[in-house]
Amino acid sequence: MNQQLLVIIIIVPLIFSIVNSFTGQRNKNIAFFLALAAMSVCLFCSVIILNTVNSQGTIQYHLGGWPPPVGIEYRVDHLNAFMLILISFIGFVTAIHAKKNVEKELPDKISLFWCLFLLLITGLLGITITGDLFNLFVFLEVTSLSGYALVAVGNKKATVAGFRYLILGSIGASFYLLGVGYLYIATGTLNMEDLAQLLPRLYESKTILLGFAFVLIGLSMKTALFPMHIWLPDAYTYAPSAVSSVVAPLMTKVMAYVIIRIIFTVFQPEFSITVMRVTDIMVWMGTFAVLFGAVMALSQKDFKRMLSYIIIAEIGYIIGGIGVANAIALKGAIFHIINDAIMMACLFLTAGQIWYK
């Protein structure tokens, strides 16, 4: 039964999003309660999944009964079990907070907001739980498209910021998909566990080197790592308050999780450290991100824009910790993903309350 929860936690917000798109048009009040019910189920499932992983170890589910690499595998270990808790908890809290803000700020788009909100959570949970690189791309696009739309439902500035986010996010997704294509050409599989076994023999292949580079560049754009951050300040500043409070804490942190998964699970750490030497680049880029984000945050007069630049600095801390690539630094990076997500959720919730009052 616990294996079935890996599917339930994805299916429930997806189904409730579809239901919301129909029922919410006729009854705006029910849209919030459907979203809250979906988030409650996700939070409950994530707690059970984490407890199962702690007691039994890694759990797997093969969609349709098709084993990998033919079928798609959902795979949860301790790392993404914690990420599921984080996404579900922040989604639950921000959903409660968003009710009044949405009614005041987006009175004609209440149903649309909750539909996109649940799609965003579906995508983030799917990115975290999947064990297949192409399935990760599918959920990445679900997350991104709902994120673009959520940002753009605000005023005219939000629409422009959402369009810029769309352009740069699509470029990042294209880089990722191209890299995944190169990996598939070289190995014939997209299952992460299979790739981890096949890739060490191919580390000198230029196809693998190029594929890894494209994947990492694409994810870095999605993570808003300096200097690929230019979409983030406007998107998070001009987005409606209810949108910022859920997108800002989760979007970049889940992308940072994916970078950790790719570097340390799909590829062996030695590949990034000695073959590609990207960890050195990550340390320097993280350092520049911290300095740039801090200086820009101090120079802002708009509260939400200041918080947006703080996110860029915090991403620098996380990426820098990943780049150091030892056990202590990696633990710190993972802890800071959780810490910063909660911190930014609280700060953007505060910004939303100030705006509301």
Side-chain angles (χ1 to χ4, degrees), residues 192-207:
M192 293 182 186
E193 190 175 11
D194 285 347
L195 283 168
Q197 297 175 3
L198 296 172
L199 285 173
R201 300 192 298 269
L202 303 170
Y203 280 166
E204 300 302 323
S205 168
K206 291 183 179 180
T207 304

Side-chain angles (χ1 to χ4, degrees), residues 60-99:
Q60 302 164 294
Y61 183 85
H62 299 157
L63 293 181
W66 293 86
V70 176
I72 295 172
E73 178 186 43
Y74 286 172
R75 184 180 182 89
V76 179
D77 54 22
H78 289 87
L79 177 57
N80 49 355
F82 273 107
M83 290 299 299
L84 292 176
I85 290 276
L86 183 68
I87 295 167
S88 301
F89 174 73
I90 291 180
F92 179 78
V93 172
T94 53
I96 296 173
H97 157 269
K99 183 177 186 296

Side-chain angles (χ1 to χ4, degrees), residues 172-240:
S174 299
F175 271 106
Y176 174 83
L177 183 60
L178 189 59
V180 169
Y182 277 117
L183 296 180
Y184 182 75
I185 290 171
T187 62
T189 182
L190 293 173
N191 180 266
M192 293 182 186
E193 190 175 11
D194 285 347
L195 283 168
Q197 297 175 3
L198 296 172
L199 285 173
R201 300 192 298 269
L202 303 170
Y203 280 166
E204 300 302 323
S205 168
K206 291 183 179 180
T207 304
I208 296 298
L209 299 178
L210 195 59
F212 177 81
F214 278 135
V215 167
L216 202 58
I217 292 171
L219 293 175
S220 297
M221 294 186 69
K222 291 287 188 179
T223 312
L225 177 62
F226 178 86
M228 295 169 280
H229 67 282
I230 56 176
W231 60 267
L232 188 147
D234 284 349
Y236 291 179
T237 300
Y238 299 126

Side-chain angles (χ1 to χ4, degrees), residues 156-184:
K156 291 182 178 179
K157 289 184 178 180
T159 303
V160 174
F163 182 72
R164 185 184 297 117
Y165 186 13
L166 167 65
I167 297 300
L168 295 174
S170 298
I171 293 172
S174 299
F175 271 106
Y176 174 83
L177 183 60
L178 189 59
V180 169
Y182 277 117
L183 296 180
Y184 182 75

Side-chain angles (χ1 to χ4, degrees), residues 112 116-117 119-120 137 139-155 157-174 218 221-222 231-232 235-236 238-240 243 247 251 255:
L112 174 63
L116 294 171
F117 177 92
L119 278 178
L120 178 75
F137 169 75
F139 283 119
L140 184 66
E141 286 302 281
V142 171
T143 303
S144 298
L145 291 172
S146 54
Y148 306 149
L150 281 170
V151 170
V153 295
N155 55 29
K157 289 184 178 180
T159 303
V160 174
F163 182 72
R164 185 184 297 117
Y165 186 13
L166 167 65
I167 297 300
L168 295 174
S170 298
I171 293 172
S174 299
M221 294 186 69
K222 291 287 188 179
W231 60 267
L232 188 147
Y236 291 179
Y238 299 126
V243 174
V247 174
M251 188 74 77
M255 295 303 107

